[in-house]
Short mmCIF file of all heavy atoms in Angstrom, two decimals:
data_model
loop_
_atom_site.label_atom_id
_atom_site.label_comp_id
_atom_site.label_asym_id
_atom_site.label_seq_id
_atom_site.Cartn_x
_atom_site.Cartn_y
_atom_site.Cartn_z
N LEU A 10 8.84 -4.19 9.32
CA LEU A 10 7.41 -3.83 9.47
C LEU A 10 6.81 -4.53 10.69
O LEU A 10 6.03 -3.95 11.44
CB LEU A 10 6.62 -4.19 8.20
CG LEU A 10 7.00 -3.41 6.94
CD1 LEU A 10 6.19 -3.90 5.74
CD2 LEU A 10 6.80 -1.90 7.13
N LEU A 14 5.27 -2.75 13.92
CA LEU A 14 3.89 -3.07 14.32
C LEU A 14 3.79 -3.35 15.82
O LEU A 14 2.84 -2.92 16.47
CB LEU A 14 3.44 -4.29 13.51
CG LEU A 14 1.95 -4.50 13.30
CD1 LEU A 14 1.28 -3.25 12.76
CD2 LEU A 14 1.71 -5.66 12.34
N LYS A 17 4.11 0.21 17.36
CA LYS A 17 3.14 1.26 17.04
C LYS A 17 1.70 0.79 16.89
O LYS A 17 0.80 1.61 16.70
CB LYS A 17 3.55 1.96 15.75
CG LYS A 17 4.88 2.69 15.82
CD LYS A 17 5.15 3.41 14.51
CE LYS A 17 6.34 4.33 14.58
NZ LYS A 17 6.67 4.89 13.26
N LYS A 18 1.48 -0.51 16.83
CA LYS A 18 0.13 -1.10 16.68
C LYS A 18 -0.48 -0.94 15.28
O LYS A 18 -0.95 -1.89 14.69
CB LYS A 18 -0.86 -0.57 17.72
CG LYS A 18 -0.35 -0.57 19.15
CD LYS A 18 -0.16 -1.95 19.68
CE LYS A 18 0.38 -1.93 21.09
NZ LYS A 18 1.22 -3.06 21.39
N THR A 19 -0.53 0.28 14.78
CA THR A 19 -1.00 0.49 13.39
C THR A 19 -0.05 1.46 12.70
O THR A 19 0.26 2.52 13.25
CB THR A 19 -2.42 1.09 13.36
OG1 THR A 19 -3.26 0.40 14.27
CG2 THR A 19 -3.02 0.99 11.95
N LEU A 20 0.39 1.08 11.52
CA LEU A 20 1.41 1.88 10.82
C LEU A 20 0.80 2.80 9.76
O LEU A 20 -0.30 2.53 9.26
CB LEU A 20 2.43 0.96 10.15
CG LEU A 20 3.01 -0.18 10.98
CD1 LEU A 20 4.09 -0.91 10.19
CD2 LEU A 20 3.58 0.36 12.28
N LEU A 21 1.56 3.83 9.45
CA LEU A 21 1.16 4.73 8.37
C LEU A 21 2.16 4.58 7.23
O LEU A 21 3.37 4.63 7.44
CB LEU A 21 1.19 6.18 8.88
CG LEU A 21 1.05 7.23 7.78
CD1 LEU A 21 -0.38 7.32 7.30
CD2 LEU A 21 1.52 8.59 8.28
N PHE A 22 1.64 4.36 6.02
CA PHE A 22 2.46 4.37 4.81
C PHE A 22 2.04 5.58 3.99
O PHE A 22 0.85 5.83 3.82
CB PHE A 22 2.22 3.12 3.95
CG PHE A 22 2.67 1.81 4.54
CD1 PHE A 22 2.33 0.61 3.91
CD2 PHE A 22 3.43 1.73 5.70
CE1 PHE A 22 2.74 -0.63 4.42
CE2 PHE A 22 3.86 0.51 6.23
CZ PHE A 22 3.50 -0.67 5.57
N ARG A 171 1.51 -13.25 2.35
CA ARG A 171 1.63 -12.76 3.73
C ARG A 171 1.10 -11.35 3.92
O ARG A 171 1.07 -10.82 5.02
CB ARG A 171 3.09 -12.85 4.17
CG ARG A 171 3.63 -14.29 4.12
CD ARG A 171 4.97 -14.41 4.80
NE ARG A 171 6.03 -13.72 4.11
CZ ARG A 171 6.72 -14.19 3.08
NH1 ARG A 171 6.43 -15.39 2.59
NH2 ARG A 171 7.68 -13.49 2.52
N VAL A 173 -2.18 -8.63 2.63
CA VAL A 173 -3.41 -8.34 1.88
C VAL A 173 -3.55 -6.83 1.84
O VAL A 173 -3.33 -6.15 2.86
CB VAL A 173 -4.66 -8.99 2.53
CG1 VAL A 173 -5.95 -8.33 2.04
CG2 VAL A 173 -4.72 -10.48 2.22
N VAL A 190 -12.97 -4.56 6.95
CA VAL A 190 -11.66 -4.79 7.58
C VAL A 190 -11.79 -5.82 8.70
O VAL A 190 -10.97 -6.74 8.82
CB VAL A 190 -11.06 -3.46 8.11
CG1 VAL A 190 -9.78 -3.70 8.90
CG2 VAL A 190 -10.80 -2.50 6.94
N ARG A 194 -9.92 -9.30 8.81
CA ARG A 194 -9.02 -9.54 9.96
C ARG A 194 -9.27 -10.90 10.60
O ARG A 194 -8.34 -11.57 11.04
CB ARG A 194 -9.22 -8.40 10.98
CG ARG A 194 -8.35 -8.45 12.19
CD ARG A 194 -6.90 -8.09 11.95
NE ARG A 194 -6.14 -9.06 11.17
CZ ARG A 194 -4.95 -8.83 10.63
NH1 ARG A 194 -4.36 -7.68 10.76
NH2 ARG A 194 -4.33 -9.77 9.96
N PHE A 197 -7.76 -13.57 8.01
CA PHE A 197 -6.39 -13.45 7.52
C PHE A 197 -5.45 -13.06 8.65
O PHE A 197 -5.65 -12.02 9.28
CB PHE A 197 -6.35 -12.39 6.41
CG PHE A 197 -4.99 -12.17 5.82
CD1 PHE A 197 -4.38 -13.17 5.06
CD2 PHE A 197 -4.31 -10.99 6.02
CE1 PHE A 197 -3.12 -12.97 4.52
CE2 PHE A 197 -3.04 -10.78 5.49
CZ PHE A 197 -2.45 -11.79 4.74
N ASP A 198 -4.41 -13.86 8.89
CA ASP A 198 -3.55 -13.47 10.01
C ASP A 198 -2.20 -12.91 9.57
O ASP A 198 -1.25 -12.87 10.34
CB ASP A 198 -3.44 -14.58 11.07
CG ASP A 198 -2.63 -15.75 10.59
OD1 ASP A 198 -2.06 -15.65 9.48
OD2 ASP A 198 -2.56 -16.77 11.30
N GLY A 199 -2.13 -12.45 8.32
CA GLY A 199 -0.93 -11.77 7.86
C GLY A 199 -1.05 -10.27 8.03
O GLY A 199 -1.82 -9.79 8.85
N PHE A 200 -0.27 -9.55 7.24
CA PHE A 200 -0.18 -8.10 7.36
C PHE A 200 -1.27 -7.45 6.49
O PHE A 200 -1.30 -7.66 5.28
CB PHE A 200 1.22 -7.67 6.90
CG PHE A 200 1.58 -6.26 7.26
CD1 PHE A 200 2.30 -5.99 8.41
CD2 PHE A 200 1.20 -5.20 6.44
CE1 PHE A 200 2.65 -4.69 8.75
CE2 PHE A 200 1.53 -3.89 6.77
CZ PHE A 200 2.26 -3.63 7.92
N LEU A 201 -2.14 -6.68 7.12
CA LEU A 201 -3.31 -6.14 6.40
C LEU A 201 -3.16 -4.63 6.14
O LEU A 201 -3.14 -3.82 7.07
CB LEU A 201 -4.57 -6.42 7.23
CG LEU A 201 -5.90 -5.89 6.70
CD1 LEU A 201 -6.16 -6.33 5.26
CD2 LEU A 201 -7.05 -6.33 7.60
N ILE A 202 -3.07 -4.30 4.86
CA ILE A 202 -2.93 -2.91 4.43
C ILE A 202 -4.27 -2.41 3.91
O ILE A 202 -4.97 -3.14 3.19
CB ILE A 202 -1.87 -2.79 3.30
CG1 ILE A 202 -0.54 -3.43 3.71
CG2 ILE A 202 -1.67 -1.34 2.87
CD1 ILE A 202 0.45 -3.60 2.56
N VAL A 203 -4.64 -1.20 4.29
CA VAL A 203 -5.91 -0.63 3.82
C VAL A 203 -5.65 0.76 3.26
O VAL A 203 -4.93 1.56 3.89
CB VAL A 203 -6.94 -0.55 4.97
CG1 VAL A 203 -8.27 0.03 4.47
CG2 VAL A 203 -7.19 -1.94 5.58
N LEU A 216 -10.68 2.33 11.06
CA LEU A 216 -10.06 1.24 10.28
C LEU A 216 -8.97 0.54 11.10
O LEU A 216 -8.82 -0.68 11.03
CB LEU A 216 -9.48 1.80 8.98
CG LEU A 216 -10.53 2.36 8.00
CD1 LEU A 216 -9.86 3.12 6.87
CD2 LEU A 216 -11.41 1.24 7.44
N ALA A 217 -8.25 1.34 11.89
CA ALA A 217 -7.21 0.76 12.75
C ALA A 217 -7.86 -0.15 13.80
O ALA A 217 -7.42 -1.28 14.02
CB ALA A 217 -6.42 1.87 13.41
N GLY A 220 -8.85 -3.51 12.70
CA GLY A 220 -7.81 -4.53 12.53
C GLY A 220 -6.80 -4.28 11.43
O GLY A 220 -5.98 -5.17 11.14
N ALA A 221 -6.82 -3.09 10.81
CA ALA A 221 -5.81 -2.81 9.79
C ALA A 221 -4.43 -2.73 10.44
O ALA A 221 -4.30 -2.21 11.55
CB ALA A 221 -6.13 -1.50 9.09
N ASP A 222 -3.41 -3.23 9.75
CA ASP A 222 -2.03 -3.11 10.27
C ASP A 222 -1.36 -1.85 9.75
O ASP A 222 -0.50 -1.29 10.42
CB ASP A 222 -1.20 -4.33 9.85
CG ASP A 222 -1.68 -5.60 10.53
OD1 ASP A 222 -1.95 -5.54 11.75
OD2 ASP A 222 -1.79 -6.63 9.86
N ALA A 223 -1.73 -1.45 8.53
CA ALA A 223 -1.15 -0.22 7.98
C ALA A 223 -2.20 0.49 7.14
O ALA A 223 -2.99 -0.15 6.44
CB ALA A 223 0.06 -0.55 7.12
N LEU A 224 -2.20 1.81 7.23
CA LEU A 224 -3.09 2.63 6.40
C LEU A 224 -2.22 3.40 5.42
O LEU A 224 -1.14 3.88 5.78
CB LEU A 224 -3.89 3.60 7.27
CG LEU A 224 -4.78 2.98 8.35
CD1 LEU A 224 -5.57 4.07 9.07
CD2 LEU A 224 -5.75 1.94 7.77
N ILE A 246 -3.89 6.48 15.18
CA ILE A 246 -4.04 5.05 14.88
C ILE A 246 -3.17 4.17 15.79
O ILE A 246 -3.46 3.01 16.00
CB ILE A 246 -3.80 4.72 13.37
CG1 ILE A 246 -2.39 5.13 12.91
CG2 ILE A 246 -4.86 5.40 12.52
CD1 ILE A 246 -2.10 4.78 11.45
N LYS A 250 -5.64 0.80 19.29
CA LYS A 250 -5.73 -0.64 19.60
C LYS A 250 -5.33 -0.92 21.02
O LYS A 250 -4.57 -0.16 21.61
CB LYS A 250 -4.81 -1.42 18.67
CG LYS A 250 -5.44 -1.63 17.32
CD LYS A 250 -4.53 -2.51 16.47
CE LYS A 250 -4.99 -2.49 15.03
NZ LYS A 250 -3.86 -2.54 14.11
#
Side-chain angles (χ1 to χ4, degrees):
L10 295 177
L14 204 51
K17 297 183 171 173
K18 312 293 179 211
T19 314
L20 312 185
L21 169 75
F22 292 171
R171 300 191 292 277
V173 161
V190 173
R194 183 73 290 166
F197 180 68
D198 71 6
F200 194 95
L201 178 54
I202 306 169
V203 180
L216 295 169
D222 292 317
L224 301 183
I246 60 178
K250 279 185 192 144

